[in-house]
Amino acid sequence: MDFNRLKESVFGNKERVVTGIAMIIALVVILSINNIYLIWLVLGIAYIVGLIEVSKLFGIKSNTNVVFLGIITWLSLLVVDNVMLISFIPAMVYASLQAYKNDDMKEVLPFIYPTIGMILFFGLYKEFGLFSVIWLIVTVAFTDTFAYFSGKYLGKTKFSPTSPNKTLEGVAGGIIAGSIFGSVAGLYFKGFLIALVLSFLVSFFSVFGDLFESYLKRKAGVKDSGNLFPGHGGILDRLDGYMFGVIILYVGMKLV
């Protein structure tokens, strides 16, 4: 292995490295405190920032109404137990308003992505506890990390025109790593076979969550969804894989 190349891959962008370390420390602190109101607040802030970012990607000129309904939606999580119901109500309400005004229906899109994913992220924590979130994070994080390095050192076959830098070898390496490490984390809840299957599905769909975000950015003609994190982009750049992966894990936990 070319260790100089590996060193450059990991430490070449100092700004990205420093921001990444800061995010990891913040994540560890938040998860260590393990307080439902803190988790609700942090995810809520991420959700509202994500709505602002995705509004730009969807070409919504004024996001005031989107943000307002987003805040109401997030506040409702404090008093309503069934997060599955909440995840669909905002889209229905906003679609009704847009139909009444005979206005552009694209403003409904933020209440599908990322609203459903963020609500289920909180629902995963609320219903299944801290370790379910750790399971999700481990699976998606290892998928992302190994997809990057597998693609960099083994990648030859293009995966999708939506994201030219992705390779089939990178995606395969990421899914294999995400499935293995995720299944170990999932043993806290399930037997090995079920943990492995769920981790594989979460890993697989997290790749397409990332791909969907790339599709939106490509259509919008931007490199990143935002600039909140130096060297890493915006909130959605960091959470894109989780927005699809969490749906699979939440539903999977409910079913099995």
Side-chain angles (χ1 to χ4, degrees):
M1 178 181 290
D2 188 339
F3 287 101
N4 289 328
R5 188 180 174 191
L6 178 61
K7 181 180 178 181
E8 178 64 25
S9 299
V10 178
F11 300 107
N13 188 330
K14 292 183 179 179
E15 183 180 57
R16 182 178 177 86
V17 172
V18 171
T19 303
I21 292 173
M23 287 192 292
I24 291 172
I25 292 173
L27 178 63
V28 170
V29 170
I30 292 168
L31 294 180
S32 297
I33 294 173
N34 190 20
N35 179 274
I36 190 169
Y37 296 106
L38 176 62
I39 298 293
W40 173 85
L41 179 62
V42 171
L43 288 177
I45 293 172
Y47 169 53
I48 299 305
V49 174
L51 282 182
I52 295 171
E53 290 180 358
V54 84
S55 294
K56 296 177 182 177
L57 296 182
F58 284 134
I60 299 172
K61 294 179 180 179
S62 175
N63 56 29
T64 303
N65 292 336
V66 173
V67 171
F68 176 74
L69 185 55
I71 292 172
I72 298 300
T73 298
W74 202 257
L75 287 172
S76 69
L77 290 174
L78 291 174
V79 295
V80 179
D81 288 332
N82 195 326
V83 296
M84 285 290 281
L85 289 179
I86 296 176
S87 66
F88 295 105
I89 289 175
M92 180 192 70
V93 170
Y94 212 88
S96 300
L97 290 173
Q98 295 304 95
Y100 175 76
K101 295 185 298 181
N102 194 29
D103 211 340
D104 195 342
M105 279 294 171
K106 70 182 177 183
E107 294 194 24
V108 179
L109 296 176
F111 297 102
I112 299 173
Y113 177 86
T115 296
I116 292 175
M118 292 302 295
I119 287 176
L120 293 187
F121 207 127
F122 180 69
L124 187 71
Y125 172 80
K126 185 178 180 181
E127 295 183 38
F128 301 105
L130 177 65
F131 281 97
S132 66
V133 174
I134 292 175
W135 183 4
L136 176 68
I137 292 173
V138 166
T139 304
V140 178
F142 274 98
T143 301
D144 285 346
T145 302
F146 276 80
Y148 173 77
F149 286 108
S150 298
K152 194 169 187 66
Y153 293 100
L154 302 174
K156 294 180 180 179
T157 310
K158 295 297 183 183
F159 178 65
S160 167
T162 301
S163 184
N165 292 329
K166 279 188 180 358
T167 64
L168 187 60
E169 293 81 3
V171 168
I175 292 175
I176 290 171
S179 300
I180 293 172
F181 287 97
S183 63
V184 173
L187 290 176
Y188 183 86
F189 293 99
K190 307 290 183 181
F192 177 73
L193 183 58
I194 293 178
L196 179 62
V197 171
L198 283 180
S199 297
F200 168 79
L201 292 173
V202 169
S203 179
F204 179 84
F205 281 101
S206 75
V207 170
F208 286 91
D210 183 282
L211 195 66
F212 180 69
E213 178 73 10
S214 296
Y215 167 80
L216 294 181
K217 290 186 291 187
R218 197 173 181 82
K219 288 293 185 181
V222 297
K223 181 178 182 292
D224 298 314
S225 66
N227 54 12
L228 183 63
F229 302 116
H232 287 262
I235 281 286
L236 295 179
D237 292 311
R238 293 299 88 215
L239 295 179
D240 48 10
Y242 294 93
M243 292 302 93
F244 281 22
V246 70
I247 297 173
I248 298 299
L249 187 56
Y250 181 87
V251 173
M253 293 281 280
K254 283 285 194 180
L255 295 177
V256 298

